[in-house]
Amino acid sequence: MLNILNIILLGAPGSGKGTQSEKLIGKYGLKHISTGDLLRAEIKEKTALGVLADSYISKGQLVPDDIVIGMLEEQMKRCRDVPGFIFDGFPRTLVQGRALDRLLAKYNEKVSIVLSLEVDEDELIQRLLKRGEISGRSDDNRETIEARLHVYQEQTAPLKAFYGDQGKLVEVMGVGSVEDIFNSMVLAVDRLVAKG
Ligand code: B4P
């Protein structure tokens, strides 16, 4: 792996990371790594990891760093010759951010760009409550949503300064049509690619 495009999608729960990842993969052919999807697959299979993860997720808490980092490392090891990665929902803590830098460095790689989806809290709550009506997810209810938003502010939002200091952060307005938001992201990525 050398000089590949590594995009991080940062944003509060319900900000549209999963939604936009699908579109970005379609455009750039990147490998999608969603720690949320991986954890939900473990929960569905009722593995030991899944049972443990569910005890955190259903309360709106983050799954411990060592578990998530191990899972991510496993996924990356399996990927050779990909044009890049979309990290969707990872990192969510500074510990995870530093671990990702170390992991990419092993392959002489680094984070290319961090797209942060900015959505106000009222809109996030409405979206997640609506998703909860159909998703059946244990974390899409009002009490858990509020806990998740709190966890985001406390543990994940500091990553914005971490990547801001590295000159990699691009804030994208995450309210509006999915297409318009996607176009803003593409603009930021293409600008970066054009710079070389
Ligand atoms: P995730 O699976 O990452 O999901 P999310 O934050 O809930 O949602 P996302 O931002 O992807 O929103 P979506 O596109 O679906 O995390 C779930 C849990 O797993 C975490 O709380 C945590 O416990 C655990 N976890 C995951 N990663 C972890 C890590 N690294 N470390 C520790 N724990 C971890 O959009 C939401 C809704 O909005 C959808 O219904 C969508 O249709 C709608 N929507 C999207 N864009 C819209 C728009 N522009 N307008 C209107 N609606 C829109």
Side-chain angles (χ1 to χ4, degrees), residues 43 49-64 138:
I43 293 171
L49 194 156
V51 172
L52 182 68
D54 196 33
S55 69
Y56 292 94
I57 293 178
S58 59
K59 291 195 210 96
Q61 294 166 0
L62 294 181
V63 175
S138 63

Side-chain angles (χ1 to χ4, degrees), residues 11-20 34-37 39-40 56-57 60-65 68 88-93 96 123 127-128 130-131 137 139-140 148 174-178 181:
S15 56
K17 301 182 294 291
T19 306
Q20 294 296 335
S34 159
T35 40
D37 287 352
L39 291 166
R40 280 186 290 277
Y56 292 94
I57 293 178
Q61 294 166 0
L62 294 181
V63 175
D65 286 331
V68 187
D88 162 6
F90 185 97
R92 261 178 156 93
T93 63
Q96 293 181 17
E123 168 80 12
R127 283 186 193 177
L128 292 173
K130 197 165 153 208
R131 186 173 71 184
R137 274 173 57 164
D139 55 349
D140 282 344
R148 288 159 71 196
V175 181
S177 77
V178 169
I181 298 165

Side-chain angles (χ1 to χ4, degrees), residues 42-187:
E42 297 281 345
I43 293 171
K44 200 168 163 214
E45 295 295 315
K46 297 191 168 63
T47 63
L49 194 156
V51 172
L52 182 68
D54 196 33
S55 69
Y56 292 94
I57 293 178
S58 59
K59 291 195 210 96
Q61 294 166 0
L62 294 181
V63 175
D65 286 331
D66 52 345
I67 296 179
V68 187
I69 292 166
M71 213 171 64
L72 179 99
E73 196 166 358
E74 235 356 88
Q75 287 293 311
M76 286 180 69
K77 261 195 232 155
R78 286 193 210 153
C79 298
R80 293 275 174 243
D81 303 321
V82 292
F85 290 98
I86 290 197
F87 298 99
D88 162 6
F90 185 97
R92 261 178 156 93
T93 63
L94 285 170
V95 171
Q96 293 181 17
R98 293 189 192 106
L100 180 60
D101 280 351
R102 277 197 302 275
L103 215 57
L104 287 169
K106 273 199 209 169
Y107 300 101
N108 288 323
E109 280 301 332
K110 51 188 174 15
V111 172
S112 313
I113 190 168
V114 180
L115 301 168
S116 174
L117 281 163
E118 304 297 323
V119 178
D120 62 86
E121 225 170 274
D122 286 347
E123 168 80 12
L124 292 170
I125 294 172
Q126 290 319 312
R127 283 186 193 177
L128 292 173
L129 285 174
K130 197 165 153 208
R131 186 173 71 184
E133 288 169 14
I134 42 168
S135 70
R137 274 173 57 164
S138 63
D139 55 349
D140 282 344
N141 59 77
R142 187 173 281 274
E143 199 186 341
T144 312
I145 291 166
E146 283 170 7
R148 288 159 71 196
L149 293 175
H150 180 72
V151 165
Y152 174 77
Q153 288 305 335
E154 295 277 311
Q155 300 189 48
T156 308
L159 282 165
K160 287 171 70 175
F162 178 73
Y163 289 116
D165 290 346
Q166 297 183 18
K168 291 179 177 164
L169 183 77
V170 177
E171 292 185 310
V172 176
M173 161 62 83
V175 181
S177 77
V178 169
E179 205 53 38
D180 285 349
I181 298 165
F182 172 64
N183 288 335
S184 311
M185 293 187 149
V186 168
L187 207 66

